[in-house]
Amino acid sequence: MTALRNAMPDEELDEQADQGKPEQGRWSQSELLLASAIDALRRVEYVLICANTDSKAKRPAPPEPIARPGARPRRAKPVLTETGARKLFELINGGAA
């Protein structure tokens, strides 16, 4: 089922996500409940690790939820580089004119 879902075109995945009907997806209700339980357990583990980590130490990244039918993985947020920041500053201060 995962291979079928991953082979789906983006348009079909978007349509399924917009409809919001997981019961009509390719996973059964018990599979969706199991995925929810795993996600909750991962969040609890993450909070436990963060609570027991020194405040100055680097904390782990939050856990990613298990991929569900009709949903793509989250995209990473773009990072503003020093060069990009300078360019943006120039554009804001009239550098585009």
Side-chain angles (χ1 to χ4, degrees):
M1 287 301 170
T2 300
L4 289 172
R5 181 180 65 250
N6 291 341
M8 251 192 239
D10 288 340
E11 296 80 26
E12 189 174 345
L13 282 173
D14 291 341
E15 181 181 326
Q16 284 186 1
D18 289 340
Q19 292 174 358
K21 298 179 182 175
E23 68 276 2
Q24 294 179 359
R26 292 198 167 118
W27 280 15
S28 69
Q29 185 177 14
S30 56
E31 290 171 320
L32 289 169
L33 288 171
L34 180 60
S36 294
I38 291 170
D39 288 343
L41 182 61
R42 286 178 175 175
R43 284 190 305 271
V44 168
E45 179 184 33
Y46 171 72
V47 169
L48 181 66
I49 291 169
C50 289
N52 291 301
T53 301
D54 186 29
S55 62
K56 295 180 182 177
K58 184 177 179 185
R59 295 178 183 233
E64 289 290 324
I66 291 180
R68 279 138 169 111
R72 289 274 183 208
R74 294 181 182 173
R75 294 183 184 153
K77 293 182 180 179
V79 177
L80 184 61
T81 62
E82 186 66 32
T83 306
R86 275 194 225 109
K87 181 68 174 173
L88 182 60
F89 182 77
E90 290 172 12
L91 290 172
I92 290 172
N93 291 307

